[in-house]
Amino acid sequence: MACCAGTYWQTVADYHNIIYFRDAAGLCVNLFVPSEVRWQQDGQTVMLRQETEYPEAETSSLRLTMERPTTFALRFRVPGWCNGMTIAVNGFPTACCRCARHLGAH
């Protein structure tokens, strides 16, 4: 059995596995699709819901739900063709850092 996806159908079937990646620091949003993810962060369950009509619309909205305030990294994959991705929190532009092909907000 090969280690890599070899067909279009297999690749599409695996999309749900690559929408988000998580590490100890926080969450990385890899795909811009309507979705929901839950994970444990600092001893509590955090839920992120992503709403978008991409590629028909150029925006994606994220809503975070947690039991109590906490701090973690939230990173976004920036497609190579993207020239001007911005992040806003509660409607206000937010400073972010760019590392490799991801944009991060803290």
Side-chain angles (χ1 to χ4, degrees), residues 20 22 27 36-40 45-49 65:
Y20 304 100
R22 194 182 81 70
L27 189 74
E36 186 175 291
V37 63
R38 287 180 175 84
W39 76 98
Q40 291 295 310
T45 299
V46 178
M47 194 260 305
L48 180 143
R49 180 184 305 239
T65 305

Side-chain angles (χ1 to χ4, degrees), residues 1-93:
M1 179 169 212
C3 68
C4 304
T7 67
Y8 172 78
W9 300 113
Q10 183 178 0
T11 300
V12 170
D14 285 343
Y15 279 166
H16 70 281
N17 293 326
I18 62 171
I19 298 171
Y20 304 100
F21 291 153
R22 194 182 81 70
D23 62 16
L27 189 74
C28 183
V29 179
N30 294 308
L31 298 177
F32 301 101
V33 297
S35 55
E36 186 175 291
V37 63
R38 287 180 175 84
W39 76 98
Q40 291 295 310
Q41 187 76 42
D42 298 327
Q44 68 174 316
T45 299
V46 178
M47 194 260 305
L48 180 143
R49 180 184 305 239
Q50 181 178 180
E51 296 176 0
T52 185
E53 293 181 15
Y54 179 82
E56 286 80 20
E58 295 181 353
T59 61
S60 187
S61 295
L62 306 175
R63 179 178 303 271
L64 289 161
T65 305
M66 59 200 81
E67 299 162 14
R68 62 187 179 281
T70 189
T71 301
F72 56 88
L74 185 57
R75 298 175 302 268
F76 304 90
R77 182 186 58 84
V78 179
W81 48 262
C82 181
N83 295 320
M85 183 175 183
T86 59
I87 297 174
V89 175
N90 297 327
F92 297 99

Side-chain angles (χ1 to χ4, degrees), residues 78-79 82 85 96-104:
V78 179
C82 181
M85 183 175 183
C96 52
C97 61
R98 187 175 188 115
C99 46
R101 298 193 43 107
H102 288 86
L103 213 64

